[in-house]
Amino acid sequence: MATTPPPLKDELDIVIPTIRNLDFLEMWRPFFQPYHLIIVQDGDPSKNIKVPDGFQYDLYNRNDINKLLGPKASCISFKDSACRCFGYMVSKKKYIFTIDDDCFVAKNPSGQDINALEQHIKNLLCPSAPYFFNTLYDPYAEGADFVRGYPFSLREGVPTAVSHGLWLNIPDYDAPTQLVKPSERNKRYVDAVMTIPKGTLFPMCGMNLAFDRDLIGPAMYFGLMGEGQPIGRYDDMWAGWCVKVICDHLGLGVKTGLPYIWHSKASNPFVNLKKEYKGIFWQEEIIPFFQTAILPKECTTVQACYIELSKQVKEKLGKIDPYFTKLGDAMVTWIEAWDELNPGKDSSKAKGK
Ligand SMILES: O=c1ccn([C@@H]2O[C@H](COP(=O)(O)OP(=O)(O)O[C@H]3OC[C@H](O)[C@H](O)[C@H]3O)[C@@H](O)[C@H]2O)c(=O)[nH]1
Ligand SMILES: [Mn+2]
């Protein structure tokens, strides 16, 4: 009897940033094996990363990144999980799922293994509803719908660009919170997927994240972090703020909630504090910048939006610290490199409302 192929089997890449051996894939094998992996090896390129047998993958280390991008490799972070965005750039697929190598299969309240990839695909393949909040959460989910009073003119929704998953066990807390609550574990399984309303930013975590590369890929730059940079662990946050402003402008949706993964490793809060320190006070100025950022209507593609945003970053955040001028330039380099590796693919001509 013919079995149905896994959804988006040939249209989705799984991107994993790593400094470790990838034994964690054994637990994901039933869900991940049919898909192509893009492994971005960070740190020492001479280290040999072991990938369990049976997976089809491409592995890129720092030498490969330098070879492929030449001088433009300067925009890809080194010694920080931000390097994962190279995997988004080099992929040829429509969809990306990215996961950390200390994230495992979680169980739902009925004790079943959660196929996180399947849920992300469901989230991406059905519309978002950013213009009016549906109090019964995802109206497109099985057994749910739009509630009374929800305007019918808005029920078609908009294309979904991002699916942001969550984590059981070790929550993605910042260093101060980790220090104050070292043994706090997330035991709460909330069975909900929500569209993040238009005009609202959110802290995007790169641990368990999927997105439509054709709709929003060029905005998924994880910034300049790690070695040689004054800040770390704001890679996914930076990307999330840029992505949400551009999704709002282009009429695309961002969802958060299911699926959960099991996050197993708490990184060192003291090391994290050093990396995050500047970000903790800079973000008090960065967030108002993104909250008030306006993109001209002439910006109809992600690339155009991103270049415009990079100009505003340099102009408005450059006065906080020269880092933001460097970051603004790196945003341009990223788009140049993206367009070089993905010629003729202007993202997001698809328009929402
Ligand atoms: O220099 C590095 C360090 C780590 N990685 C890979 O990145 C993934 C996350 O690393 P880890 O689980 O050790 O750190 P966390 O603190 O849990 O990561 C969270 O906070 C930082 C980032 O925002 C990250 O996305 C969050 O998940 C893991 O796969 C490491 O192998 C690396 O590539 N380079
Ligand atoms: Mn982790």
Side-chain angles (χ1 to χ4, degrees), residues 1-153:
M1 192 193 48
T3 51
T4 43
L8 303 181
K9 174 173 159 318
D10 301 319
E11 297 172 79
L12 180 141
D13 277 337
I14 298 175
V15 174
I16 304 165
T18 194
I19 48 174
R20 312 173 175 118
N21 287 330
L22 296 174
D23 310 334
F24 90 115
L25 285 172
E26 277 311 340
M27 194 175 189
W28 289 104
R29 190 182 289 276
F31 305 137
F32 288 6
Q33 185 146 14
Y35 296 88
H36 179 257
L37 311 180
I38 294 180
I39 298 162
V40 183
Q41 176 184 343
D42 195 14
D44 177 3
S46 65
K47 185 179 167 195
N48 181 31
I49 295 284
K50 283 200 203 60
V51 183
D53 291 343
F55 287 94
Q56 21 144 358
Y57 67 92
D58 286 309
L59 185 143
Y60 297 92
N61 63 27
R62 193 67 209 187
N63 296 336
D64 302 317
I65 295 172
N66 293 339
K67 210 159 86 199
L68 261 169
L69 299 186
K72 295 193 179 74
S74 61
C75 76
I76 303 296
S77 299
F78 186 56
K79 295 197 178 163
D80 187 284
S81 61
C83 65
R84 72 173 85 215
C85 62
F86 176 76
Y88 312 156
M89 180 194 286
V90 80
S91 167
K92 297 292 167 230
K93 304 286 177 58
K94 177 168 172 55
Y95 300 97
I96 295 286
F97 169 52
T98 187
I99 184 169
D100 289 4
D101 61 16
D102 65 341
C103 294
F104 294 85
V105 177
K107 290 194 181 300
N108 67 21
S110 350
Q112 290 155 329
D113 282 353
I114 298 169
N115 181 346
L117 184 53
E118 185 184 56
Q119 180 65 49
H120 277 302
I121 291 172
K122 267 190 203 147
N123 292 349
L124 290 172
L125 293 186
C126 74
S128 295
Y131 303 119
F132 199 87
F133 187 76
N134 191 53
T135 48
L136 201 55
Y137 310 115
D138 183 0
Y140 305 101
E142 202 66 25
D145 211 316
F146 291 100
V147 295
R148 180 168 53 87
Y150 201 100
F152 282 85
S153 59

Side-chain angles (χ1 to χ4, degrees), residues 145-177:
D145 211 316
F146 291 100
V147 295
R148 180 168 53 87
Y150 201 100
F152 282 85
S153 59
L154 294 177
R155 295 193 184 195
E156 189 187 359
V158 301
T160 299
V162 178
S163 170
H164 177 262
L166 297 172
W167 347 270
L168 291 172
N169 194 38
I170 309 283
D172 187 21
Y173 285 166
D174 51 48
T177 309

Side-chain angles (χ1 to χ4, degrees), residues 132-300:
F132 199 87
F133 187 76
N134 191 53
T135 48
L136 201 55
Y137 310 115
D138 183 0
Y140 305 101
E142 202 66 25
D145 211 316
F146 291 100
V147 295
R148 180 168 53 87
Y150 201 100
F152 282 85
S153 59
L154 294 177
R155 295 193 184 195
E156 189 187 359
V158 301
T160 299
V162 178
S163 170
H164 177 262
L166 297 172
W167 347 270
L168 291 172
N169 194 38
I170 309 283
D172 187 21
Y173 285 166
D174 51 48
T177 309
Q178 258 185 304
L179 284 165
V180 167
K181 305 171 120 179
S183 49
E184 183 143 299
R185 297 291 176 265
N186 181 30
K187 299 185 177 72
R188 229 161 28 130
Y189 181 95
V190 177
D191 183 3
V193 174
M194 283 171 256
T195 297
I196 301 174
K198 177 175 180 173
T200 303
L201 297 173
F202 77 114
M204 185 174 82
C205 171
M207 233 190 279
N208 170 21
L209 180 73
F211 59 91
D212 183 321
R213 216 173 141 268
D214 288 353
L215 289 181
I216 199 65
M220 277 286 180
Y221 176 45
F222 274 38
L224 289 175
M225 304 281 154
E227 190 171 77
Q229 308 302 341
I231 184 173
R233 291 172 55 83
Y234 271 82
D235 51 324
D236 38 9
M237 300 299 143
W238 181 262
W241 298 329
C242 294
V243 157
K244 189 60 171 62
V245 166
I246 293 172
C247 281
D248 286 352
H249 175 74
L250 293 177
L252 301 170
V254 176
K255 291 177 181 174
T256 188
L258 300 180
Y260 283 89
I261 51 84
W262 180 267
H263 184 208
S264 70
K265 205 185 65 55
S267 38
N268 182 310
F270 294 100
V271 171
N272 290 347
L273 186 57
K274 251 166 72 186
K275 293 179 181 176
E276 293 170 17
Y277 163 64
K278 289 197 168 177
I280 291 174
F281 58 85
W282 280 348
Q283 70 184 5
E284 297 304 333
E285 295 189 63
I286 296 172
I287 299 295
F289 161 74
F290 281 105
Q291 284 170 330
T292 54
I294 295 171
L295 296 172
K297 62 179 182 347
E298 296 72 36
C299 294
T300 57

